[in-house]
Amino acid sequence: MIGKPRARFQPVTEDGSVTQLELFFDLVIVFAFTMVTDLAADNTSAKNMLRALLVLAIMWWLWIAYSWLGNVVRADEGIVRVGMFVAMGGAFIAALTIPEAFVDLPGGWYGPLVFAIAYLVVRLVHVVIFWAISRDDPQLRGQLARWALGSIGVGTALLVIAATTSGLVQILLWLAAIVGDMVWTAVAGTDWRINSAKHFAERYGLIVIVALGESIVSIGIGVAGLPISWPITVASMLGLMVSGLLWWLYFDVAAISIEEGLASAKGSAQIKIAQFSYTYGHFPMIAGVIALSLGLKKVLYYVGDTSHHQLTDPLYGIPLGALYAGPAVFLLAVVGAKYAAVRQFSTARVLVAALLFALIPVAAQLPALVSLGLLCAILAAPVIWETVHYARRRDEIRHA
């Protein structure tokens, strides 16, 4: 007996979870994060840091498009599965081209244009799939049409044009493409769909894990090929603790509260939380962790490579700024995302972030290993404070 064939699109249910195909898709983003870190570490000038941030923003905007799509229909069913693989291929080509997204390398295809076209393909696949699944939902299709007009018609087109330019003009076109896309998304309407708050929150929680994983990978890359020693061991453990503390500061309570705020909201209020707590609010978290990755990579190189550095050498300049500013930006982003979702504000975390910024000049006078230890101690302070001071409330949120 032949069973009834499945529909081409299978909607995500209210209790839906992230599919394994979405996790597979994220492997490309893992690679992209590594490439962004390498791009930043290759030349720690202000201009190159801006380029790395712009590339990260583009890859983030690529990823968030599919986080919304996967919340409406299952990514691993029907024609959507094929679209996900096509998008994955385009994203991988874009990630491969990150080193020459701005400046073409000798030989081969013209890198900046390859990057822009690969990005365009990924975005077009997303729009085509969304258009198909919204055929019985005029409200969603209208929202998609309004959004695609500015997002694809203007934002992505500017990136293609930027590939044919260089210098300041190229940077300005990239900025216009990214900022224009983000602003247009915010003003284009709130007629999107959130089928599963659980899936949406889990999706963004996993990308935070991916970014934190990059910070751990950077520790290993920083001492790759160097013999193990006590400075490398201590610095590695401190770096791992810093990553673990950021995990705690997000997942212990904040992520749960933000998800609850998303789940309890309805209509346009829910869409605004999804946009401002997740789509926009999580990007500074990711950027902060990538900045931390750069700082950790440099610290481990300082303490491990005794042929070029002494243990007393301080970390300075942009790598030191990234080491301290990255976690500070992460903290502020968590505070902002939580406030957008449930209107709760953490003054203590803001003060810790301000302290991290203020201590950068001080850390520049300390040995790199001591600077990392100081960072670890400062991040441990709010974890200990919140665990003790808000013990009952924390238990209620975590085990309600």
Side-chain angles (χ1 to χ4, degrees):
M1 199 175 167
I2 300 176
K4 183 179 179 181
R6 286 183 176 272
R8 289 193 305 160
F9 306 114
Q10 186 174 335
V12 173
T13 59
E14 187 175 353
D15 61 346
S17 298
V18 174
T19 64
Q20 294 197 6
L21 182 53
E22 288 173 289
L23 297 177
F24 190 47
F25 182 90
D26 286 355
L27 294 178
V28 173
I29 307 303
V30 172
F31 175 62
F33 287 169
T34 299
M35 295 296 282
V36 170
T37 303
D38 289 347
L39 176 64
D42 182 60
N43 176 14
T44 55
S45 65
K47 180 180 180 180
N48 201 51
M49 293 305 102
L50 176 58
R51 285 176 170 176
L53 179 61
L54 292 174
V55 171
L56 180 63
I58 284 291
M59 298 307 295
W60 173 257
W61 215 243
L62 177 155
W63 180 85
I64 66 99
Y66 287 85
S67 72
W68 285 79
L69 175 65
N71 194 262
V72 178
V73 290
R74 285 186 61 93
D76 59 348
E77 293 289 345
I79 195 66
V80 181
R81 175 187 290 192
V82 178
M84 288 291 290
F85 277 113
V86 173
M88 190 174 178
F92 192 57
I93 292 174
L96 284 170
T97 321
I98 284 176
E100 48 182 333
F102 289 89
V103 180
D104 184 46
L105 298 179
W109 291 341
Y110 185 67
L113 189 58
V114 172
F115 180 89
I117 292 175
Y119 178 70
L120 175 62
V121 168
V122 178
R123 296 296 300 276
L124 287 176
V125 169
H126 168 260
V127 171
V128 169
I129 296 175
F130 238 126
W131 186 261
I133 66 177
S134 62
R135 62 183 179 182
D136 298 323
D137 189 340
Q139 182 176 328
L140 178 58
R141 178 160 284 191
Q143 171 66 73
L144 178 66
R146 290 193 303 274
W147 172 76
L149 179 65
S151 184
I152 303 296
V154 178
T156 309
L158 286 175
L159 197 64
V160 175
I161 296 171
T164 65
T165 64
S166 61
L168 180 60
V169 173
Q170 185 185 51
I171 293 289
L172 291 176
L173 285 171
W174 269 69
L175 279 170
I178 294 167
V179 174
D181 208 342
M182 291 183 173
V183 171
W184 182 259
T185 298
V187 302
T190 56
D191 289 335
W192 297 104
R193 298 285 181 264
I194 296 294
N195 284 4
S196 171
K198 174 186 175 183
H199 171 279
F200 205 79
E202 184 181 1
R203 196 82 179 87
Y204 282 79
L206 288 170
I207 203 66
V208 172
I209 290 289
V210 165
L212 289 172
E214 168 58 22
S215 70
I216 296 172
V217 169
S218 294
I219 296 171
I221 292 176
V223 292
L226 298 176
I228 192 69
S229 62
W230 75 261
I232 289 178
T233 302
V234 172
S236 298
M237 291 301 97
L238 287 173
L240 185 61
M241 286 179 65
V242 169
S243 297
L245 288 167
L246 293 187
W247 176 93
W248 189 302
L249 289 163
Y250 176 77
F251 286 102
D252 185 58
V253 170
I256 300 172
S257 298
I258 296 169
E259 180 181 352
E260 288 177 351
L262 179 68
S264 61
K266 303 298 179 185
S268 63
Q270 186 180 52
I271 299 302
K272 288 180 180 178
I273 291 174
Q275 287 181 330
F276 293 102
S277 290
Y278 288 97
T279 294
Y280 296 102
H282 276 57
F283 175 63
M285 296 182 206
I286 303 303
V289 175
I290 298 302
L292 170 67
S293 300
L294 170 62
L296 290 175
K297 187 175 183 179
K298 293 296 184 180
V299 169
L300 267 294
Y301 177 71
Y302 266 53
V303 302
D305 187 8
T306 56
S307 63
H308 293 87
H309 295 283
Q310 302 291 327
L311 278 178
T312 54
D313 288 349
L315 191 65
Y316 59 90
I318 288 176
L320 176 63
L323 182 70
Y324 273 67
V329 169
F330 181 92
L331 272 174
L332 293 175
V334 174
V335 171
K338 187 175 179 181
Y339 181 79
V342 294
R343 291 297 184 265
Q344 294 177 4
F345 186 82
S346 174
T347 303
R349 291 190 175 198
V350 172
L351 291 175
V352 170
L355 179 62
L356 287 173
F357 282 117
L359 284 177
I360 292 175
V362 177
Q365 309 304 316
L366 302 173
L369 187 58
V370 176
S371 295
L372 180 57
L374 178 61
L375 173 64
C376 189
I378 293 170
L379 290 175
V383 169
I384 296 170
W385 162 257
E386 292 172 1
T387 302
V388 174
H389 190 71
Y390 299 108
R392 179 176 296 179
R393 177 59 181 154
R394 174 176 171 271
D395 186 67
E396 290 173 353
I397 293 173
R398 289 182 52 80
H399 306 108

